[in-house]
Amino acid sequence: MVRLRNDMKKKFCLIGNGKMGSAFVNLIHKDFQMTVASPNTSPSYPCVFANDISEIDECFDYITFAVKPMVLPQVLRNIRKTHYHEETRFISLIAGAQSEVFRSSLGEQIKLTQIMTNLPVKIGKGIVAVYSDEKLNFLEKLGQVIYVPKEDDLNRFCAAVGSGSGFCYSIFEMYEEAVRKMGLGTEVDTRRLVLNLFQGSIDLLEESGLSFAEQKANVVTPNGTTHAGLQELTKSGSFVDAALDKALHRSRELGVLVSEELKKQK
């Protein structure tokens, strides 16, 4: 049974204040008594800060891991039993990191929530895939929350969502470069043009409620300019499948590597 709990002003420790970690807490840090442990970047908001969790003498209600996968075994070794109690909720944002890695270091009975998300959580427009025995109400602030039934589902969300933002930015970049090469015959901010093109297309979809295919059909005239361009574009459709498959494979591979690294260090 999924339980709902009140998370206001609980003690929250974020380990790793990089791009993902800082984005994850951007909209929620005021709801907690925040502590951040990160060797490279300090937070922009008032909180307890240290370079490493081993420097902190505090017991937390939440401990969130947002470090690089291969750093995780070292981080786990630095967590003491005085850092958590039996109700502490551990949260992982780490690609590929399997539950057994956390349980073998922290105890089989720990409360663990595994999350795969993307950087737009920073502005409340992320996609948050969650594998957990408990619903965390504060996640609703971050965007679309999806609870998954199996741990391996997170690897799929890692490819489709975690890596997906990067794929989107790459597509935007390629489109902007193609526009520049074509030349528009006048000075124009191509970055703004591409942003408006994609945002306008998304807003129209939101308003119409149509499927992608239906909205596309409203734009395409047989033997027209869009039809001609789409004949070329659809030839490359398999590159999206290939990108997602490659990212999925790497997510699972990282899980194996982290587990092996933990065994070496024991």
Side-chain angles (χ1 to χ4, degrees):
M1 168 105 30
V2 171
R3 293 179 287 120
L4 198 62
R5 64 191 288 176
N6 183 353
D7 301 302
M8 297 301 288
K9 298 305 180 182
K10 298 283 188 176
K11 292 184 178 181
F12 191 114
C13 180
L14 172 68
I15 304 178
N17 191 52
K19 294 176 182 177
M20 189 67 257
S22 60
F24 184 76
V25 301
N26 185 57
L27 295 181
I28 62 173
H29 66 84
K30 292 181 180 179
D31 296 336
F32 299 98
Q33 298 179 48
M34 285 295 299
T35 297
V36 175
S38 184
N40 299 317
T41 56
S42 59
S44 58
Y45 48 86
C47 70
V48 176
F49 175 72
N51 288 317
D52 193 277
I53 184 69
S54 62
E55 302 172 12
I56 299 170
D57 185 18
E58 184 68 84
C59 186
F60 299 101
D61 300 298
Y62 293 95
I63 298 178
T64 297
F65 301 93
V67 298
K68 294 180 180 179
M70 299 310 292
V71 177
L72 179 59
Q74 175 63 46
V75 170
L76 289 172
R77 286 208 309 274
N78 289 341
I79 294 180
R80 302 187 298 272
K81 290 187 177 180
T82 54
H83 285 139
Y84 59 97
H85 50 78
E86 63 179 14
E87 293 298 318
T88 296
R89 171 67 50 175
F90 293 93
I91 301 173
S92 169
L93 307 179
I94 303 174
Q98 301 172 17
S99 59
E100 64 181 35
V101 170
F102 299 96
R103 297 191 187 283
S104 64
S105 294
L106 303 171
E108 288 295 325
Q109 302 305 314
I110 63 166
K111 296 179 182 296
L112 178 64
T113 294
Q114 295 162 269
I115 293 175
M116 182 47 56
T117 187
N118 56 355
L119 288 178
V121 292
K122 183 176 183 179
I123 57 173
K125 294 190 175 182
I127 300 171
V128 188
V130 187
Y131 179 66
S132 179
D133 63 334
E134 180 177 285
K135 183 174 288 188
L136 306 182
N137 58 346
F138 65 82
L139 296 179
E140 301 295 332
K141 286 189 175 184
L142 307 183
Q144 180 184 6
V145 181
I146 304 168
Y147 286 86
V148 301
K150 300 193 298 292
E151 183 176 352
D152 187 58
D153 292 336
L154 293 178
N155 288 314
R156 297 180 178 86
F157 275 92
C158 178
V161 173
S163 299
S165 293
F167 299 156
C168 288
Y169 300 141
S170 182
I171 291 170
F172 300 164
E173 182 183 31
M174 288 187 287
Y175 202 95
E176 181 184 27
E177 183 60 26
V179 168
R180 285 175 176 167
K181 288 179 179 177
M182 181 179 66
L184 296 177
T186 185
E187 289 295 321
V188 64
D189 182 344
T190 53
R191 180 181 183 276
R192 174 48 55 188
L193 182 148
V194 172
L195 284 172
N196 286 342
L197 173 64
F198 280 84
Q199 188 61 60
S201 299
I202 291 170
D203 289 347
L204 187 58
L205 271 167
E206 291 276 15
E207 181 183 273
S208 70
L210 297 176
S211 69
F212 299 142
E214 290 170 329
Q215 191 67 64
K216 180 177 69 175
N218 285 343
V219 180
V220 179
T221 300
N223 297 318
T225 59
T226 308
H227 182 265
L230 284 173
Q231 285 183 310
E232 291 301 313
L233 188 60
T234 53
K235 289 179 182 179
S236 303
S238 61
F239 83 90
V240 177
D241 293 335
L244 294 182
D245 286 345
K246 192 74 173 180
L248 173 58
H249 175 76
R250 182 56 177 166
S251 180
R252 287 171 171 160
E253 185 177 55
L254 283 171
V256 174
L257 291 174
V258 171
S259 296
E260 291 177 348
E261 183 64 23
L262 183 64
K263 291 176 183 177
K264 286 181 186 177
Q265 295 184 17
K266 283 189 172 182

